[in-house]
Amino acid sequence: MTEDQKNIVSVRSLTKAYGATAVLKGIDFSVARGEIHALLGGNGAGKSTLIRIITGTATKDGGELFFRDASGNLLSETDGRLKVAVVHQELALLPHLTVAENIALPHFRKGSRLYDRRLATRQAHDALSMIDRDFAAVALNRLVGDLSLHEGQMVEIARALSSGAELILLDEPTANLTAIETERLFGVLRRLARDNGLSVVFVSHRMKEIRQIANVCSIIRDGRTVVKSVPTGDLTDRAIVEHMGQAHVMAAPRAIRVAQQSMAGEPLTITEDGFSVVLQPGTILGVAGAPAGPETLIAALVGAAHAKRWTVTRAGWPARFRSPHQAARLGAGFVTGDRAHRGILHSLPIIDNVLASRRVTRGSLFARKHEGVECLDLMQALKVKAGSLWHLPNTLSGGTQQKLLLARWLNLPSRLLVLEEPTRGVDIGTKREIYQLIRDMAATGTAIVWWSTENAELLEVCDRVLAFDTEGRSSGVIERDQLSEDRLATLTGMAA
């Protein structure tokens, strides 16, 4: 069998443009059978477009795309795609169907089989149990629309694993998983690759995870392949970053003006049944642990829940916000980690996405001339490249869309900014920019609450960390001089 015949998919000189914008400019990429292959590149490099072409949801403009069966024989593009499953960075589940129905869909997609509820439930349980057995035991009959982002991520991965595909493409699959769930997923992928010949394309910006799971990597930059099928161990982290073109990415410019706080000297006290944390102005409080605890805290902080578990004490604020609208009007901002469904306003142009928070806090409905100028200044300072402020946000990469969510709260007098996985799915250069933006906001007196599933991120950014155990109970606060991955692992009950 030739080298080409060992590849389940091969791409040569692939090109793709959207209007006048060339996204892929001659990509070469191949994945061997039984290989776990990391596809790396900065936001906007072309990774998601390449995945869409391989899966058939986008058409190529030029170049060649080949699929092969287990014997190395060429398949047609259509037949080949039937053996491909994908987990996109933004989830693609059907909210009106149950968990079991969503996972079972690939087994009934041709319409040649009647839906068998008992069979579907068994298949869904087996697939979901590979990632989280406890969740599988209680979730199968729940509507997907009622799930959290974290739970939806597990369902989408389970659907891909149960599909019978020979090639699975995972675009930031661990962004909302705990460390334990991530390691369990990696174990499943290694076993399927070794025993069943499953091929995996793994897209991630988390270097630690890349080295844990991928034995081969390719790097694309500005729509071109710069590294093709090199053993991951042959490249240092620095070399990977340099190939991505991000070794010298500067932090966000200090020219961005962050509004001064009119009541910045007053602390906030966050209380839960006698346990309390005092959050001084300018403090960055990290939040660590499985989603149950952090999600409950965040919902209380931004007025999204009326549970009596948490209260926030601050002069001029109620003990509990009645709604997110009230929270925003009183200076409590929120950046969601679910930009696709709860963050980006897909039907509105970029300018309205950037100005969305001031629409709420100031009650204005239309963009005034000076706001257009301010929006353009923010985008230039944040290095957001767009053809026009009036283009839709889906013309931007995922990492760039994340910048839009942060831009909403710049130049607004926020007393508290709550961040839910703010660097989800963004490259290392954009992460550095976001880190500096948050530090700049804290420096003006804004209190920051930052939930991240990346312990290394919490160690780099936060002044102290509030930890939750696996049952969602607060388990302690770790001060800066005590912070370590081992300490976080102990208090959260999760692997570092």
Side-chain angles (χ1 to χ4, degrees), residues 345-456:
L345 307 173
H346 296 279
S347 62
L348 296 180
I350 290 169
I351 186 172
D352 286 329
N353 271 272
V354 172
L355 300 178
S357 294
R358 67 199 67 207
R359 295 283 181 269
V360 175
T361 59
R362 298 175 180 172
S364 58
L365 295 178
F366 304 102
R368 297 179 174 87
K369 183 176 180 180
H370 73 87
E371 290 182 323
V373 174
E374 184 179 3
C375 180
L376 186 60
D377 288 344
L378 280 172
M379 289 179 60
Q380 289 174 345
L382 289 169
K383 303 177 185 175
V384 174
K385 297 179 180 178
S388 167
L389 296 180
W390 301 98
H391 285 174
L392 293 178
N394 61 10
T395 60
L396 306 175
S397 69
T400 304
Q401 290 179 22
Q402 196 70 21
K403 288 184 182 181
L404 298 187
L405 300 186
L406 284 164
R408 289 176 180 174
W409 299 102
L410 298 176
N411 295 358
L412 286 181
S414 302
R415 277 88 170 184
L416 171 68
L417 182 62
V418 181
L419 306 171
E420 179 186 67
E421 296 280 13
T423 64
R424 175 177 175 262
V426 304
D427 59 53
I428 189 169
T430 304
K431 279 187 179 183
R432 291 173 182 167
E433 295 174 356
I434 290 175
Y435 293 166
Q436 190 59 56
L437 277 174
I438 301 308
R439 292 185 184 110
D440 287 351
M441 294 193 76
T444 67
T446 302
I448 309 291
V449 174
W450 182 315
W451 176 36
S452 175
T453 54
E454 288 191 72
N455 286 349

Side-chain angles (χ1 to χ4, degrees), residues 93-168:
L93 300 171
L94 300 178
H96 60 287
L97 298 183
T98 67
V99 168
E101 289 166 342
N102 268 273
I103 293 176
L105 279 176
H107 299 281
F108 301 92
R109 58 186 165 190
K110 281 189 172 181
S112 58
R113 295 172 59 188
L114 293 175
Y115 182 76
D116 184 330
R117 183 174 299 277
R118 184 175 299 178
L119 174 61
T121 300
R122 185 170 68 251
Q123 291 170 332
H125 180 270
D126 291 346
L128 199 51
S129 293
M130 290 191 285
I131 306 171
D132 191 319
R133 290 179 292 274
D134 293 337
F135 181 58
V138 299
L140 297 181
N141 294 318
R142 291 175 61 187
L143 290 178
V144 161
D146 295 332
L147 301 181
S148 68
L149 180 62
H150 162 81
E151 293 167 334
Q153 189 93 52
M154 289 192 287
V155 172
E156 180 120 35
I157 293 171
R159 181 169 67 183
L161 292 174
S162 72
S163 67
E166 296 177 63
L167 172 66
I168 293 183

Side-chain angles (χ1 to χ4, degrees), residues 255-394:
I256 297 176
R257 179 177 59 84
V258 182
Q260 295 296 321
Q261 313 306 306
S262 59
M263 299 174 65
E266 299 179 12
L268 300 102
T269 302
I270 305 170
T271 306
E272 176 207 31
D273 300 326
F275 173 85
S276 63
V277 181
V278 177
L279 189 55
Q280 296 291 341
T283 299
I284 302 178
L285 174 68
V287 179
E295 286 178 349
T296 302
L297 170 62
I298 288 173
L301 291 177
V302 301
H306 302 291
K308 297 181 179 180
R309 178 176 170 184
W310 290 96
T311 60
V312 182
T313 305
R314 187 184 187 282
W317 282 10
R320 297 179 184 89
F321 294 123
R322 295 190 303 273
S323 65
H325 180 270
Q326 183 192 34
R329 292 292 294 268
L330 290 174
F334 175 54
V335 175
T336 176
D338 185 5
R339 60 176 171 262
H341 301 104
R342 296 190 293 137
I344 292 296
L345 307 173
H346 296 279
S347 62
L348 296 180
I350 290 169
I351 186 172
D352 286 329
N353 271 272
V354 172
L355 300 178
S357 294
R358 67 199 67 207
R359 295 283 181 269
V360 175
T361 59
R362 298 175 180 172
S364 58
L365 295 178
F366 304 102
R368 297 179 174 87
K369 183 176 180 180
H370 73 87
E371 290 182 323
V373 174
E374 184 179 3
C375 180
L376 186 60
D377 288 344
L378 280 172
M379 289 179 60
Q380 289 174 345
L382 289 169
K383 303 177 185 175
V384 174
K385 297 179 180 178
S388 167
L389 296 180
W390 301 98
H391 285 174
L392 293 178
N394 61 10

Side-chain angles (χ1 to χ4, degrees), residues 13 94 158 181 196 236 241-242 352 403 439 449 454 463 475:
S13 303
L94 300 178
E181 290 159 350
N196 297 13
T236 65
V241 171
E242 287 177 345
D352 286 329
K403 288 184 182 181
R439 292 185 184 110
V449 174
E454 288 191 72
D463 300 307
S475 54

